[in-house]
Amino acid sequence: MVTIKDSLKLFGIAIVVCCAAFVCTLFLNYRIDLVNARDTISGEQAVKMYEAQLSTSTVVCCVCGLCLVLTSIVMLITYIKNHIDSRSKELGILKALGYSNLSIAKHYYIFGLSVFAGALLGCIGGELYMDKFYQVQNKDGYFSFESEFHIGVPALMIALSTIAFMLLSVWFAYRRVKKPVMTLLREQSGAKMRHSKKDRSPLPFLKELKRDTVKGRYSLIFFVAFSSFCFSAMVQMSMSMKTLASETMGIMILTIGLILAFMMLLLALSAVVKGSAKTAAMMRIFGYDDSDTSRAILSGYRPIAWIGFAVGTLYQFVLLKIMVEVVFKDLEDVPDYSFDFKGLCITLPVFFIAYEVIMKIYSQRIKKLTIKSVMLED
């Protein structure tokens, strides 16, 4: 039921975990070496820089690591849910044959292999980039220590993340397969439709379809919003890094942000198109043109994307403001920071063009959906 091929579909989770492991490896290793070098640090400004760098490492590991881990959890749960829902009949047959919930769910540990792969690659990348990272961090001359290899950092990061996600996979799969056998055989999700007064209000068909395409799909809403958030926050933050930190740090932030943003958006829109294949094919049969079909399926996510962009813009400003005025407030020669309207004016049109190009690509994919292909897939 669960194969290596299924685990390969979790490529997105591996990328997110890789980014988290890469950043955390750099800053955790640097923090350990910085603490070990405390006795060699003298001078008022050097001590203040020492304390500021400790705070920065802690904040980056907590904020970046926690954010990316939560994103990985949401993605993992979504993948397992979709996998079980698409194979509910087979799972129902296994339960009818006498297999217990745990005997079925335990095989979903294989989904944790994507986390292992991502954590391993992230730690290797962090170790390879370590010397360059130390040069950037110590460029002001306050510290002169060299990087040391701490086996505990990658070992614990890889082992703990892999074990935790394997256990999470088994636990969530166990909860999903606890449904009655007949429910699984009938491919019923067991979810009850809730109708409110708003739901009963009449709407034109295309508007109602546009609303229903988004309604209840919380994981897809999260992915679309988070992709826009990453693009907005990371791109604008990278533009400020040249003044506040270094050009190298800006490139690193920009690269991670773009990878996360585009990967999340592509995964979300792929799921939207796949889940709406029957709808698109039937609309074409009933005479709706391609533009109406694409607009009804995809355009509902545009407001969500722009909300994510706005939140990302606010987030990066608040975070950098706190770092400058709280963490590094006692240091000399720290530049003042104010909102970068120039960066926003560059990021905004780039985001608009990139988002609309991707939406156009997926609109073309919707046009290729035919009733014959949907029937053959079923």
Side-chain angles (χ1 to χ4, degrees):
M1 292 302 299
V2 185
T3 64
I4 296 294
K5 184 178 179 180
D6 291 319
S7 66
L8 292 177
K9 295 179 181 178
L10 289 102
F11 176 75
I13 295 179
I15 295 297
V16 175
V17 174
C18 179
C19 292
F22 176 78
V23 173
C24 290
T25 297
L26 292 176
F27 282 94
L28 283 176
N29 206 91
Y30 182 76
R31 195 181 194 283
I32 293 173
D33 287 340
L34 186 62
V35 171
N36 292 338
R38 176 64 181 86
D39 295 337
T40 65
I41 299 173
S42 60
E44 182 179 356
Q45 282 300 309
V47 172
K48 290 179 179 179
M49 176 60 78
Y50 167 82
E51 295 174 350
Q53 291 285 20
L54 282 181
S55 299
T56 300
S57 300
T58 303
V59 169
V60 170
C61 288
C62 291
V63 174
C64 179
L66 181 62
C67 181
L68 294 179
V69 166
L70 290 177
T71 303
S72 302
I73 290 174
V74 174
M75 293 177 69
L76 181 67
I77 288 175
T78 302
Y79 273 114
I80 295 176
K81 177 181 178 297
N82 292 338
H83 184 275
I84 292 176
D85 290 346
S86 65
R87 290 165 173 79
S88 59
K89 284 185 177 180
E90 291 92 334
L91 295 174
I93 292 172
L94 288 176
K95 290 188 67 174
L97 291 174
Y99 287 88
S100 66
N101 295 326
L102 184 59
S103 65
I104 296 173
K106 68 180 182 181
H107 296 287
Y108 280 84
Y109 79 90
I110 198 172
F111 278 42
L113 293 178
S114 61
V115 177
F116 171 79
L120 179 63
L121 290 175
C123 289
I124 292 174
E127 293 296 338
L128 293 176
Y129 186 71
M130 194 71 69
D131 291 337
K132 179 65 176 178
F133 178 73
Y134 274 51
Q135 292 175 13
V136 173
Q137 292 295 94
N138 300 338
K139 65 181 178 63
D140 294 325
Y142 290 110
F143 317 124
S144 59
F145 58 87
E146 299 291 332
S147 64
E148 295 184 10
F149 178 67
H150 302 284
I151 186 62
V153 174
L156 285 175
M157 197 176 302
I158 295 171
L160 290 178
S161 60
T162 302
I163 293 172
F165 275 82
M166 282 183 173
L167 292 175
L168 175 64
S169 300
V170 173
W171 171 79
F172 185 74
Y174 177 80
R175 287 179 56 88
R176 294 295 299 180
V177 300
K178 282 180 68 177
K179 301 174 185 177
V181 173
M182 294 307 298
T183 300
L184 291 171
L185 291 175
R186 293 170 182 169
E187 296 183 309
Q188 295 174 348
S189 64
K192 295 181 178 179
M193 297 296 293
R194 297 180 181 179
H195 298 282
S196 63
K197 291 183 179 179
K198 275 188 176 181
D199 294 333
R200 292 193 293 267
S201 60
L203 283 174
F205 171 71
L206 290 178
K207 289 186 177 180
E208 185 177 1
L209 179 60
K210 176 181 173 182
R211 181 195 64 181
D212 291 342
T213 303
V214 179
K215 187 178 179 181
R217 298 188 175 185
Y218 302 114
S219 59
L220 297 182
I221 291 173
F222 171 79
F223 293 150
V224 172
F226 188 71
S227 68
S228 304
F229 172 88
C230 289
F231 187 95
S232 173
M234 297 298 202
V235 172
Q236 294 184 70
M237 196 181 297
S238 67
M239 295 180 181
S240 302
M241 285 297 105
K242 187 173 182 180
T243 302
L244 298 178
S246 66
E247 187 173 351
T248 303
M249 186 68 69
I251 294 173
M252 185 176 73
I253 292 174
L254 178 64
T255 303
I256 293 175
L258 291 179
I259 290 174
L260 291 175
F262 286 109
M263 183 199 63
M264 288 286 185
L265 184 59
L266 295 177
L267 287 174
L269 293 181
S270 296
V272 172
V273 172
K274 184 177 180 181
S276 304
K278 292 181 181 179
T279 301
M282 294 304 296
M283 287 182 69
R284 189 168 291 109
I285 290 175
F286 288 118
Y288 289 95
D289 59 28
D290 293 332
S291 60
D292 285 339
T293 304
S294 300
R295 193 160 46 246
I297 293 174
L298 295 176
S299 61
Y301 290 92
R302 278 193 178 90
I304 297 169
W306 284 107
I307 291 173
F309 183 91
V311 174
T313 300
L314 179 62
Y315 167 82
Q316 63 89 26
F317 169 70
V318 172
L319 181 62
L320 291 180
K321 197 72 172 176
I322 291 174
M323 295 299 294
V324 171
E325 297 190 358
V326 177
V327 178
F328 293 97
K329 66 177 181 178
D330 296 326
L331 293 176
E332 297 177 354
D333 302 325
V334 176
D336 294 332
Y337 174 72
S338 57
F339 187 81
D340 188 1
F341 286 99
K342 181 181 178 181
L344 177 62
C345 291
I346 295 174
T347 308
L348 189 62
V350 172
F351 172 76
F352 173 78
I353 294 171
Y355 186 83
E356 291 302 323
V357 167
I358 293 175
M359 293 289 277
K360 185 67 175 177
I361 292 173
Y362 277 89
S363 296
Q364 295 298 320
R365 289 185 58 178
I366 291 175
K367 291 180 181 179
K368 296 178 181 179
L369 295 174
T370 62
I371 189 64
K372 180 179 178 181
S373 63
V374 173
M375 292 176 68
L376 289 175
E377 184 178 334
D378 290 343

